[in-house]
Amino acid sequence: MRITRARALGTCFGVRDAIDAALTPEISSDLTIVGQLVHNPQTVQRLHDAGVKMVSSSDDEITTRNVMITAHGAPASLKQKLSDQGHIVYDATCPLVLRVHQAVRRLVKEGWHPVVIGQREHVEVRGIVGDLTDFTVLGNLADLHLLEGRARIGIVCQTTYRIRQAKEILEQIGQRFPEMEVEFIDTVCKPTKDRQNAVDELSDQVDVMIVVGGTNSSNTHKLLNVCKEKEVTAYQIENAEQLEARWFEGVEHVGITAGTSTPHDVIDLIHARLIQISPSS
Ligand code: SF4
């Protein structure tokens, strides 16, 4: 059985830098992370082992001096609140998420109604709109009615959104609201695009795709969706133990892809396990 890794997969620089910062001993010994730093159970365990505390929201009790904002970012008001409470705030927001915050600030300043294409409840989107009073989040085409009555809209995307779907939404906006003035800023990040394009290409070549990533990882779901659209059998797993030999009976070529939270050592273990259980070995 041939095994091919997608040409772009696994941890992106934004997540890697945030993990490195959280594991710096002088910070980690007295640190609480607000939200999920990564959607990868092995890395979460490493952080626990290093003594790092994690809370799901800033409303939870924080007993450490250091507090970290994750790569997904947070509203400026939340960082200020934590700082006012006496914490030292380590901001691990990915520069590519900060770019979205900046884009939205510019749009608002220029008088555009800010629109985010993304998942309303995702922490990144909540961070982008958290300090805005008037904004619209479009999760999919069914939300277009939310734009009724708007004259000028400025659109950004959640960094892990599928650019193809975002462009579909954009096209539908043009058809449904021909009079509306629209400014679109493509803020889907390059690591996301690279991973989506790579899995798209690899799906044409393989019989089965292994998608590695946390079950609550947005960008991993997007990779899985690409496989579904390509009608390739795909299995999402978080670790090598979850691989089942029966998935590969009669399979000649298997592909591996992984979301931006998945470290390369986890991918290596999965690759090694695939070689072990390969029907031809
Ligand atoms: S997925 Fe993109 S925006 Fe998010 S942390 Fe990685 S590089 Fe940054």
Side-chain angles (χ1 to χ4, degrees):
M1 183 173 81
R2 268 177 74 201
I3 303 164
T4 307
R5 293 188 192 209
R7 60 175 173 74
L9 80 174
T11 319
C12 59
F13 75 92
V15 170
R16 185 200 60 213
D17 291 354
I19 296 167
D20 288 350
L23 288 171
T24 307
E26 40 297 5
I27 302 176
S28 63
S29 56
D30 192 17
L31 174 66
T32 299
I33 298 173
V34 181
Q36 255 196 312
L37 187 66
V38 283
H39 305 286
N40 170 263
Q42 295 91 332
T43 310
V44 170
Q45 190 56 48
R46 270 177 71 203
L47 291 163
H48 272 301
D49 294 346
V52 175
K53 297 186 172 60
M54 292 168 219
V55 293
S56 52
S57 111
S58 62
D59 296 332
D60 296 329
E61 192 190 10
I62 299 175
T63 54
T64 57
R65 184 164 164 74
N66 302 327
V67 173
M68 180 171 279
I69 302 295
T70 71
H72 290 310
S77 55
L78 173 62
K79 297 178 206 171
Q80 190 59 51
K81 179 182 127 183
L82 291 165
S83 177
D84 291 347
Q85 288 171 348
H87 299 292
I88 299 175
V89 181
Y90 290 89
D91 188 354
T93 308
C94 174
L96 300 184
V97 175
L98 287 176
R99 202 170 61 106
V100 191
H101 286 235
Q102 279 158 9
V104 169
R105 275 201 297 275
R106 191 216 2 121
L107 289 169
V108 172
K109 204 167 156 199
E110 292 177 1
W112 302 91
H113 172 71
V115 174
V116 182
I117 297 180
Q119 294 163 270
R120 190 165 289 107
E121 291 312 317
H122 193 280
V123 63
E124 179 188 319
V125 174
R126 285 195 271 120
I128 295 167
V129 301
D131 286 334
L132 301 176
T133 44
D134 190 19
F135 61 87
T136 302
V137 178
L138 300 177
N140 51 45
L141 288 171
D143 289 335
L144 288 194
H145 64 97
L146 299 172
L147 298 177
E148 301 278 357
R150 299 287 178 186
R152 293 180 86 226
I153 62 167
I155 308 177
V156 296
C157 304
Q158 183 178 343
T159 55
T160 51
Y161 209 78
R162 281 196 68 195
I163 189 64
R164 194 189 293 171
Q165 281 175 354
K167 289 197 169 151
E168 264 171 43
I169 291 177
L170 205 59
E171 212 178 285
Q172 289 297 318
I173 291 173
Q175 284 181 16
R176 188 156 161 185
F177 307 104
E179 305 299 318
M180 194 181 276
E181 220 184 316
V182 179
E183 162 104 353
F184 174 67
I185 306 172
D186 174 5
T187 51
V188 175
C189 74
K190 186 172 181 306
T192 289
K193 283 180 183 157
D194 289 346
R195 281 152 187 72
Q196 289 177 2
N197 291 336
V199 76
D200 189 87
E201 280 167 26
L202 189 56
S203 296
D204 290 333
Q205 303 162 30
V206 299
D207 310 304
V208 167
M209 187 78 75
I210 299 300
V211 181
V212 191
T215 48
N216 50 356
S217 156
S218 159
N219 76 85
T220 305
H221 288 160
K222 303 282 189 313
L223 297 176
L224 205 57
N225 284 343
V226 175
C227 300
K228 277 187 192 150
E229 278 174 22
K230 291 287 192 116
E231 298 184 354
V232 172
T233 306
Y235 299 99
Q236 182 180 359
I237 57 168
E238 292 183 340
N239 56 55
E241 288 69 45
Q242 290 172 313
L243 285 170
E244 294 186 29
R246 66 185 172 88
W247 295 344
F248 308 102
E249 283 163 18
V251 167
E252 289 177 5
H253 194 177
V254 59
I256 308 176
T257 182
T260 52
S261 285
T262 304
H264 285 269
D265 54 351
V266 174
I267 299 168
D268 290 342
L269 285 171
I270 285 166
H271 195 152
R273 177 78 186 127
L274 273 172
I275 293 170
Q276 260 180 11
I277 62 176
S278 170
S280 60
S281 63

